């Protein structure tokens, strides 16, 4: 009979959301264990995750409060300006796109954001490395590679069995293993959603001249095409295409890919060259019908997978992690059972509306912009022009994108749990 090991919380998934939650919960005095099928070292390989993430300024406060800021700052590129253009041509650099555009400038909300930019662009592998370092420094137990085989729950505890026969028990199990969450399935929680028939082609490029900390987003009929500033005169490209075309781009020779890329870039930024591998990620919407069940809670992509159009997926996941850690730390201080439905419902109430509203908003945004229907184009161009002219509305958009609105968890205000 395998020996049973006891914790306050078992976290399935040691990715960005899971590891961040582990740090936050440990900061709140809780004993946690991370379980992940990938060796921690594999997550740090440059080929594991080629994406870069737009981290809202409030989310960066959270990373600071968790002790990651110093490690991440040298790799974080400020986004001081965001330029959104409604394009008709196949090339981002085409002459005379639609006259409708949106420009967001950090100085406009500088007073409210404490001089912060609109956000920071950071490569995911840098965030993973900083999290791994912080998790190790905090002495958090990590079981990897290790797979969750089953999750059983009763009135007093949750029991997790791993593939190697280990048995772990805790007051609560947190599912943070992404869209295919085993923990979510074990609880019988269904998801609603759909595939977009699109994939995001992601590549890092070196630029011929300075990007000026400007993020560009072009809405083309095939989907968004983003040029996002990175450190060291580089940019991350997120190029949305039909899944068939995206797979063809992944399989294309370097010369062919560069040729397709120049059709998009044209002379927009001089001397663009691709650095490192290309990645293709299928795009879909997935929303869990519930965030909690007895002795179980979901965070990150296990709870909601959204279109990357606004770069908010990780920000939503880290806000989940901050809210859940705060609820649980407070419950522990009051001597409550961490897995009790009354405790978990506080987390669900806090995050349910925000997650559903953002997922629906991003979906509507994609549908509104990924087409070339005349009347629809006219309405969206009028809408963009109006937002661009109305200062308070534009500033409200920026505050929302920066994650500084609503009932913020302590971590997102830069305070410890």
């Amino acid at each position: 009979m395998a020996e049973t090991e006891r914790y306050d919380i078992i976290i399935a998934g040691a990715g960005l959301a899971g590891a961040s939650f582990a740090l936050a919960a440990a900061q709140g005095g809780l004993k946690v264990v991370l379980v992940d099928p990938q060796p921690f070292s594999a997550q740090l390989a440059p080929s594991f995750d080629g994406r870069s993430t737009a981290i809202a300024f409030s989310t960066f406060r959270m990373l600071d409060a968790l002790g990651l800021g110093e490690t991440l700052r040298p790799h974080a590129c400020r986004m001081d300006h965001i330029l959104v253009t409604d394009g008709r041509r196949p090339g981002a650099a085409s002459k005379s796109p639609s006259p409708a555009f949106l420009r967001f400038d950090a100085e406009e909300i500088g007073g409210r954001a404490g001089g912060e930019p609109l956000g920071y662009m950071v490569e995911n592998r840098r965030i993973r490395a900083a999290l791994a370092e912080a998790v190790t420094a905090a002495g958090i137990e990590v079981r990897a590679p290790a797979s969750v085989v089953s999750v059983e729950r009763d009135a007093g505890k949750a029991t997790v069995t791993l593939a190697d026969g280990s048995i772990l028990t805790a007051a609560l199990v947190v599912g943070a293993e992404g869209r295919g969450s085993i923990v979510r399935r074990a609880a019988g929680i269904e998801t609603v959603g759909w595939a977009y028939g699109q994939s995001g082609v992601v590549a890092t490029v070196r630029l011929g001249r300075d990007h000026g900390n400007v993020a560009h987003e072009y809405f083309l009929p095939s989907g968004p095409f983003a040029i996002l500033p990175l450190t060291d005169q580089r940019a991350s490209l997120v190029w949305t295409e039909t899944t068939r075309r995206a797979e063809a781009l992944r399989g294309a020779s370097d010369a062919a890919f560069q040729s397709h890329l120049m059709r998009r870039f044209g002379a927009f930024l001089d001397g663009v060259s691709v650095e490192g591998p290309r990645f293709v990620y299928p795009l879909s919407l997935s929303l869990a019908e519930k965030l909690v069940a007895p002795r179980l809670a979901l965070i990150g992509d296990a709870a909601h997978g959204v279109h990357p159009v606004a770069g908010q997926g990780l920000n939503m996941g880290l806000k989940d992690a901050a809210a859940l850690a705060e609820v649980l730390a407070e419950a522990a201080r009051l001597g409550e059972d961490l897995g009790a439905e009354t405790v978990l419902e506080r987390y669900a109430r806090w995050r349910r509306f925000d997650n559903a509203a953002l997922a629906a908003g991003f979906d509507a945004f994609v549908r509104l912009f990924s087409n070339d229907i005349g009347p629809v184009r006219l309405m969206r161009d009028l809408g963009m022009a109006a937002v661009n002219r109305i200062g308070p509305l534009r500033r409200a958009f920026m505050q929302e994108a920066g994650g500084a609105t609503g009932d913020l968890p302590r971590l997102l205000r830069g305070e410890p749990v």
Side-chain angles (χ1 to χ4, degrees):
M1 178 78 179
E3 190 177 328
T4 302
E5 299 186 53
R6 299 181 186 281
Y7 303 88
D8 291 323
I9 308 168
I10 299 161
I11 305 161
L16 302 178
S20 299
F21 171 71
L23 284 170
Q27 189 184 83
L30 300 169
K31 183 185 179 187
V32 303
V33 59
L34 280 162
V35 180
D36 198 280
Q38 291 281 352
F40 228 29
S41 56
Q43 289 202 44
L44 309 184
S47 57
F48 183 79
D49 186 345
R51 291 168 294 189
S52 297
T53 293
I55 297 178
F57 62 80
S58 61
T59 308
F60 208 91
R61 285 181 203 152
M62 172 180 173
L63 298 176
D64 254 336
L66 293 176
L68 276 65
E70 197 176 327
T71 307
L72 284 178
R73 261 197 183 76
H75 308 295
C77 183
R78 290 175 64 101
M79 280 193 295
D80 289 315
H81 314 280
I82 299 174
L83 191 62
V84 180
T85 309
D86 191 7
R88 183 178 273 110
R89 312 276 201 282
S94 300
K95 295 287 186 289
S96 65
S98 156
F101 68 91
L102 274 170
R103 185 182 177 96
F104 298 115
D105 294 301
E107 305 97 69
E108 276 203 73
I109 57 166
R112 278 183 270 180
E116 294 284 359
L118 297 168
Y120 297 86
M121 282 301 301
V122 188
E123 291 155 281
N124 283 16
R125 64 192 178 95
R126 300 292 190 186
I127 307 172
R128 289 179 188 281
L131 282 168
E133 189 181 296
V135 163
T136 304
I140 294 169
E141 186 179 345
V142 180
R143 297 200 172 214
S147 299
V148 173
V149 173
S150 68
V151 181
E152 292 170 19
R153 297 164 295 136
D154 59 37
K157 66 182 184 307
T159 303
V160 172
T161 304
L162 305 184
D164 65 2
S166 302
I167 297 172
L168 315 178
T169 67
L172 177 69
V173 177
V174 172
E177 345 84 305
R179 297 182 187 220
S181 172
I182 292 168
V183 168
R184 188 186 65 227
R185 285 205 296 268
I189 297 174
E190 299 290 330
T191 59
V192 293
W194 41 81
Y196 288 104
Q198 296 176 320
S199 290
V201 181
V202 177
T204 300
V205 297
R206 182 163 294 283
L207 306 174
R209 58 188 167 89
D210 186 32
H211 48 55
N213 295 352
V214 181
H216 294 265
E217 182 125 29
Y218 291 87
F219 284 98
L220 305 174
S222 62
F225 176 70
I227 305 161
L228 306 168
L230 294 174
T231 53
D232 195 24
Q233 207 165 302
R234 297 170 305 142
S236 174
L237 302 189
V238 184
W239 177 350
T240 309
E241 285 288 3
T242 63
T243 296
R244 184 176 57 79
R245 281 189 193 157
E247 291 297 341
L249 283 167
R250 173 162 50 189
S253 68
D254 289 347
F257 184 77
Q258 182 82 14
S259 161
H260 281 292
L261 191 54
M262 292 315 291
R263 277 188 62 233
R264 296 273 165 161
F265 261 110
F268 176 70
L269 289 168
D270 306 328
V272 173
S273 59
V274 180
E275 289 198 345
R278 308 188 287 267
F279 300 84
V280 173
Y281 299 97
L283 305 181
S284 63
L285 174 75
S286 165
L287 201 58
E289 291 186 341
K290 295 192 295 182
L291 291 178
V292 299
R295 306 219 161 271
L296 186 144
L298 303 176
I299 64 172
D301 282 3
H304 45 74
V306 298
H307 195 289
V309 63
Q312 290 295 317
L314 180 62
N315 293 300
M316 290 168 69
L318 294 189
K319 200 181 268 192
D320 293 342
L324 182 58
E326 188 171 322
V327 165
L328 296 175
E330 187 64 28
R333 284 193 280 269
L334 295 172
E336 294 179 281
D337 176 355
L338 300 184
E341 288 182 73
T342 50
V343 171
L344 298 178
E345 188 52 35
R346 286 175 217 152
Y347 161 67
R349 260 200 319 272
W350 198 349
R351 295 297 300 140
R352 188 186 291 127
F353 177 77
D354 191 31
N355 285 338
L358 285 172
F362 300 149
D363 182 66
F365 209 63
V366 170
R367 293 176 191 280
L368 176 65
F369 278 90
S370 292
N371 65 68
D372 201 23
I373 301 164
V376 176
R377 173 179 286 281
L378 177 63
M379 290 305 294
R380 72 188 182 220
D381 286 0
L382 288 171
M384 287 173 73
V387 172
N388 213 42
R389 283 172 171 272
I390 301 169
L393 190 56
R394 194 172 57 250
R395 287 189 284 277
F397 268 94
M398 287 189 272
Q399 288 287 117
E400 184 65 46
T405 58
D407 185 8
L408 289 185
R410 286 193 192 107
L411 282 169
L412 274 85
R413 298 196 299 261
E415 302 165 11
V417 173

